[in-house]
Amino acid sequence: PKQRAVVTVLGADLSAAALHAVAESIALAGGNIERIDCLARYPVTCYEMLVSRAELDRLRADLVEASGQHGVDVAVQLEGLARRAKRLVVLDVDSTLVQDEVIELIAEEAGVASEVAEITALAMEGEIDFEAALRRRVELLAGLPVEALEKVAAKVRLAPGARTFVRTAKRLGYKVAAVSGGFTFFTDRLATQLELDHAVGNELEVQDGRLTGRLVGPVLDRAGKADVLRHVAAAEGIPVEQTVAVGDGANDLDMLAAAGLGVAFNARPVVRRAADTTVSVPYLDAILFLLGIRRDEVESADETG
């Protein structure tokens, strides 16, 4: 259908050739660029184009090809109230909100890093059932003192732009949640550190000050993450259509599909293919530009916050 659309183009270095390829793809899809705005020049360059009369399916297909050739990210969203009415962002944790795979940091402390990393890689590519993979990895951690988790927590690195993203979103009225296939020991600390509205994860069982190699309660898996998104949205009185989900692995696919906008952040190929749009730069706050938030609005939120 020929409806007005917003095309967002972002990259660490947006060349004239890349912008020309985007404009050419819009023209070939029958579209007319009504307006071009520069949303940001830092930490990435981002332009937003209002497009009318384009055949959207062809436009998306052509832009995917153009973005791949020029190494930029291009998002296509229908223009309208639904795009501008997002009110809840749900973030995956490992390799999204933080740079690390936390269970691998724990495995280093336990001396089982290679075994855990191998299982993690299979799970993230969707080649092994997540719950089975998680339980197998947690079993390898049996006997680790709880004090070692504090050492791991000190090593966890936030994604570049994570503080800016959360702070700006909250100051602009969004609710922000973290949902993790990892562990509450770390999500609870992130919730305090970043003042998140919600944080959910799996709970490690502890006896006599050591990990037992088991989990408490059911596993928060791929379907569970989507359920958390719906539950948090309902608790906040926000329609699911007004939610944004951000993730990188196969365990995030249901959550990305359930949200009004699913964003694959530096994601595996299977996730990039399934998500509504992708962000391939390392800066989490670049996702703000997909929501139509300008860099000067980010800075203004900081000044008035």
Side-chain angles (χ1 to χ4, degrees):
K2 295 183 178 181
Q3 303 178 63
R4 297 177 88 199
V6 172
V7 175
T8 308
V9 189
L10 64 88
D13 182 19
L14 274 183
S15 66
L19 291 173
H20 174 75
V22 169
E24 187 174 49
S25 296
I26 292 170
L28 290 173
N32 178 59
I33 300 175
E34 296 185 1
R35 186 184 71 240
I36 301 177
D37 289 327
C38 181
L39 299 189
R41 297 190 185 280
Y42 172 83
V44 296
T45 303
C46 180
Y47 286 92
E48 182 180 274
M49 305 177 185
L50 179 62
V51 176
S52 61
R53 300 201 304 272
E55 295 180 15
L56 294 186
D57 289 343
R58 178 174 180 181
L59 178 62
R60 288 191 174 98
D62 288 350
L63 287 175
V64 166
E65 182 176 352
S67 66
Q69 290 175 352
H70 293 275
V72 298
D73 292 318
V74 182
V76 180
Q77 302 176 66
L78 287 176
E79 169 61 352
L81 290 175
R83 174 177 177 264
R84 297 191 296 272
K86 299 294 190 292
R87 296 167 53 200
L88 167 66
V89 181
V90 179
L91 299 161
D92 171 49
V93 175
D94 290 9
S95 298
T96 301
L97 183 58
V98 305
Q99 298 180 55
D100 309 283
E101 289 291 328
V102 175
I103 195 169
E104 294 185 1
L105 296 181
I106 304 173
E108 290 177 6
E109 290 292 326
V112 291
S114 60
E115 296 94 322
V116 166
E118 182 178 349
I119 300 171
T120 298
L122 292 173
M124 294 302 289
E125 293 295 340
E127 297 180 18
I128 186 173
D129 173 73
F130 176 81
E131 179 173 352
L134 181 63
R135 292 190 185 279
R136 282 170 55 187
R137 288 176 292 179
V138 170
E139 286 173 3
L140 292 169
L141 306 177
L144 186 70
V146 172
E147 290 79 3
L149 299 184
E150 294 289 356
K151 293 174 61 178
V152 171
K155 296 178 182 179
V156 173
R157 302 163 298 165
L158 291 173
R163 290 184 184 277
T164 299
F165 178 84
V166 174
R167 182 176 63 242
T168 302
K170 288 178 63 65
R171 287 176 179 171
L172 294 176
Y174 290 76
K175 298 295 183 180
V176 182
V179 56
S180 177
F183 310 114
T184 55
F185 186 93
F186 303 96
T187 56
D188 289 349
R189 282 158 177 74
L190 287 169
T192 300
Q193 183 180 4
L194 297 174
E195 298 183 3
L196 302 174
D197 298 289
H198 302 270
V200 183
N202 293 299
E203 184 178 353
L204 292 165
E205 185 180 71
V206 178
Q207 288 182 1
D208 300 323
R210 295 181 178 272
L211 303 186
T212 66
R214 297 185 296 271
L215 296 168
V216 177
V219 167
L220 183 62
D221 57 7
R222 173 172 163 172
K225 282 189 164 185
D227 288 341
V228 168
L229 180 144
R230 298 186 188 97
H231 175 77
V232 170
E236 295 288 355
I238 298 172
V240 173
E241 295 77 14
Q242 294 179 11
T243 66
V244 180
V246 184
D248 74 301
N251 198 39
D252 301 312
L253 285 171
D254 289 8
M255 178 175 75
L256 298 183
L261 176 66
V263 181
F265 181 69
N266 294 308
R268 277 71 174 174
V270 65
V271 184
R272 293 200 302 269
R273 289 192 296 268
D276 295 316
T277 188
T278 64
V279 171
S280 302
V281 295
Y283 310 106
L284 194 65
D285 52 337
I287 294 170
L288 294 168
F289 308 138
L290 299 180
L291 305 178
I293 299 169
R294 305 169 62 95
R295 181 68 198 180
D296 56 6
E297 292 173 320
V298 174
E299 294 168 355
S300 177
D302 276 346
E303 291 171 0
T304 59

